[in-house]
Amino acid sequence: MLHMNSSEQGGTSMLKVTLEVMHRAADRLGLDQSIRNVISKPQRILSVAVPVRMDDGSVKVFDGYRVQHSLARGPAKGGIRFHPEVTMDEVVALAMNMTWKCAVVDIPYGGAKGGVVVDPRQLSVGELERLTRRFTSEISIIIGPEKDIPAPDVNTNPQIMAWVMDTYSMHMGYSVPSVVTGKPIEIGGSLGRVDATGRGCVYTIVELAKRIGLKLEGATAAVQGFGNVGSHAALILQEMGCRVIAVSDVHGALYNEKGLDCRAIKEVAARTGSILDYQGEAEQIPREQALEVPVDILVPAALENQIHAGNARRIRAKIVAEGANGPTTNEADEILRNQGTIIIPDILANAGGVTVSYFEWVQGLQSLSWTAKQVAAELERRMATSFNQVYDRAEREEVDLRTAAYLIAIERVAQAIKLRGIYP
Ligand code: GLU
């Protein structure tokens, strides 16, 4: 059987999905063909082979990429993912997504992404550290606080960012905290960065709920993916009074009509690596069903292309807030919209992470630190402003929120390209 990775589910690559949405929005804007030519391609792709001495003495070589899609609005910005199904096309699509994401929340960055083809769960801590350090060394020729600033993404975390920071600093001969965001607090990380993507996602849901008159108190929610984005989104939705009735991770799904105890599930998952080890009140259901339970709010917070033509008709959520990057294929997007579902697109719904990354970078450059309250307040202000700009644009032009978000983002990037001009 042909093996397809998650970004190629049903024959749809994430790059194809991303480009289609971009061209649709560009058509609507009547975008200048020269600008369209520029934004259709990533500016730089660095492909690296990463040799790692394994614990048994052998050397394995892992493929890795760092893609900078655009530097028009500022230094490139975007996470690094470690996943066995990473492909160059996927990293290109994710880098493009970062360009639009940074533009839609109006932070002064272009878009980038990195990826290493590896299953980090198969590595010892020592092997993971050596892989991270050598990958950082390989991409060090294009990253830097004014050039391109990595951050966590799928299967990477603050400890891994600490190794990135240390490796780059060793090359330079002095500490360079602002080369990477999502670092541990002790070495220049920002308060509120760990839960920022989940929190930002909930802030967009809060704003949408206000606009459509949905009461969050007592509303039901389901969350697919219980990693850094999903677990925090679930907890914060619960704090807002929502009843989270289904959650899933790679191992399976839990369901309780009366509402799950997400904090207890998170504690168990952090300890054992699986939500299924939770012994409290919950029924185990097949993993895919977490997407299909009838709820007010669905947060897909796992990988791309999880909502596709094959399951979209079974999704009965009123709101889909895309915590993951690219969780919905274009066919599914259309099916959901025809069913009356409102989708808060990834480039807006999950922009809270990169927004607090920006705060971390700013704090690092100024060598000062903000309080947790300051971070949360500024995040809320920026997410609410961006959401309402997108919602107003969608109403004005009678388009969906994804199209409206792309219209705003592409306009901002196009304006930067025009003002700067083409060198030479
Ligand atoms: N990986 C996250 C994203 O996809 C965060 C990127 C960042 O903070 O630079 O938005």
Side-chain angles (χ1 to χ4, degrees):
M1 199 185 90
L2 184 72
H3 179 75
M4 279 193 285
N5 75 14
S6 56
S7 73
E8 289 165 0
Q9 201 118 35
T12 327
S13 85
M14 192 190 169
L15 183 56
K16 189 165 159 271
V17 173
T18 308
L19 282 170
E20 263 174 34
V21 182
M22 184 196 86
H23 284 300
R24 208 173 58 215
D27 287 345
R28 205 183 160 86
L29 285 171
L31 190 73
D32 180 276
Q33 185 60 43
S34 302
I35 303 272
R36 193 193 290 243
N37 295 343
V38 175
I39 63 174
S40 296
K41 289 191 175 188
Q43 187 164 339
R44 295 180 186 135
I45 300 181
L46 179 62
S47 168
V48 295
V50 187
V52 179
R53 171 87 56 201
M54 306 304 280
D55 290 346
D56 66 4
S58 68
V59 174
K60 277 196 187 159
V61 181
F62 299 89
D63 291 322
Y65 309 97
R66 184 72 185 171
V67 176
Q68 299 173 348
H69 168 250
S70 170
L71 297 144
R73 299 183 79 253
K77 186 85 188 82
I80 295 171
R81 65 172 55 182
F82 288 171
H83 196 279
E85 290 169 352
V86 161
T87 63
M88 192 170 82
D89 268 12
E90 178 199 41
V91 181
V92 170
L94 290 162
M96 283 190 170
N97 248 34
M98 288 308 303
T99 301
W100 315 131
K101 193 183 300 185
C102 294
V104 86
V105 290
D106 209 4
I107 53 178
Y109 290 136
K113 202 75 163 200
V116 178
V117 187
V118 61
D119 181 355
R121 289 181 185 91
Q122 309 285 326
L123 302 184
S124 69
V125 176
E127 289 166 343
L128 186 64
E129 176 175 351
R130 292 192 292 278
L131 171 79
T132 304
R133 286 186 182 278
R134 184 58 188 257
F135 177 65
T136 305
S137 176
E138 293 299 330
I139 65 168
S140 67
I141 53 174
I142 60 167
I143 64 170
E146 277 89 31
K147 292 155 80 178
D148 177 357
I149 306 118
D153 196 77
V154 174
N155 291 335
T156 54
N157 57 29
Q159 172 61 75
I160 291 174
M161 298 307 115
W163 293 327
V164 172
M165 181 271 205
D166 185 70
T167 304
Y168 187 85
S169 299
M170 289 299 125
H171 278 209
M172 302 305 286
Y174 54 91
S175 287
V176 190
S178 297
V179 66
V180 68
T181 58
K183 297 178 293 292
I185 308 291
E186 295 82 349
I187 55 165
S190 175
L191 293 168
R193 175 62 185 84
V194 170
D195 68 358
T197 312
R199 182 172 295 281
C201 183
V202 175
Y203 289 153
T204 64
I205 295 168
V206 169
E207 293 304 310
L208 175 60
K210 282 188 211 160
R211 303 289 293 243
I212 63 172
L214 173 79
K215 246 183 84 199
L216 284 188
E217 184 74 46
T220 52
V223 179
Q224 184 209 30
F226 213 65
N228 190 48
V229 180
S231 66
H232 287 111
L235 282 179
I236 298 163
L237 280 169
Q238 222 162 38
E239 280 166 25
M240 302 267 174
C242 292
R243 199 148 44 91
V244 180
I245 63 173
V247 298
S248 70
D249 69 3
V250 283
H251 305 285
L254 298 173
Y255 175 79
N256 182 347
E257 206 202 317
K258 292 201 228 81
L260 294 160
D261 182 348
C262 293
R263 189 163 299 279
I265 297 171
K266 187 166 163 37
E267 274 164 25
V268 171
R271 218 174 39 242
T272 73
S274 168
I275 60 167
L276 298 185
D277 292 320
Y278 175 67
Q279 299 296 330
E281 269 178 49
E283 187 190 324
Q284 291 191 8
I285 57 171
R287 189 161 64 108
E288 324 72 68
Q289 274 182 27
L291 290 170
E292 299 170 13
V293 292
V295 281
D296 295 307
I297 302 152
L298 173 64
V299 181
L303 289 172
E304 51 263 26
N305 295 352
Q306 298 298 298
I307 305 179
H308 44 81
N311 64 4
R313 283 184 189 81
R314 293 197 296 275
I315 287 173
R316 285 163 289 170
K318 288 198 187 96
I319 297 172
V320 171
E322 296 182 335
N325 288 312
T328 314
T329 67
N330 292 341
E331 295 81 9
D333 184 87
E334 197 177 330
I335 296 167
L336 289 180
R337 281 189 280 116
N338 290 338
Q339 286 171 189
T341 302
I342 306 177
I343 305 166
I344 312 178
D346 51 3
I347 58 168
L348 175 62
N350 72 35
V354 74
T355 300
V356 176
S357 275
Y358 167 55
F359 302 161
E360 179 176 332
W361 182 73
V362 166
Q363 292 170 74
L365 293 178
Q366 299 182 338
S367 300
L368 52 76
S369 49
W370 299 4
T371 63
K373 223 171 129 189
Q374 258 175 302
V375 171
E378 188 62 11
L379 174 64
E380 184 171 16
R381 191 183 68 75
R382 284 180 180 263
M383 295 307 293
T385 304
S386 307
F387 177 87
N388 286 298
Q389 284 173 352
V390 170
Y391 196 90
D392 290 343
R393 181 80 178 243
E395 274 197 332
R396 200 162 67 239
E397 298 210 23
E398 294 177 357
V399 294
D400 58 294
L401 297 178
R402 191 185 312 278
T403 306
Y406 269 78
L407 292 178
I408 292 175
I410 293 174
E411 252 171 20
R412 287 180 179 158
V413 174
Q415 190 60 14
I417 296 171
K418 251 187 236 147
L419 287 166
R420 291 179 63 160
I422 300 298
Y423 176 85

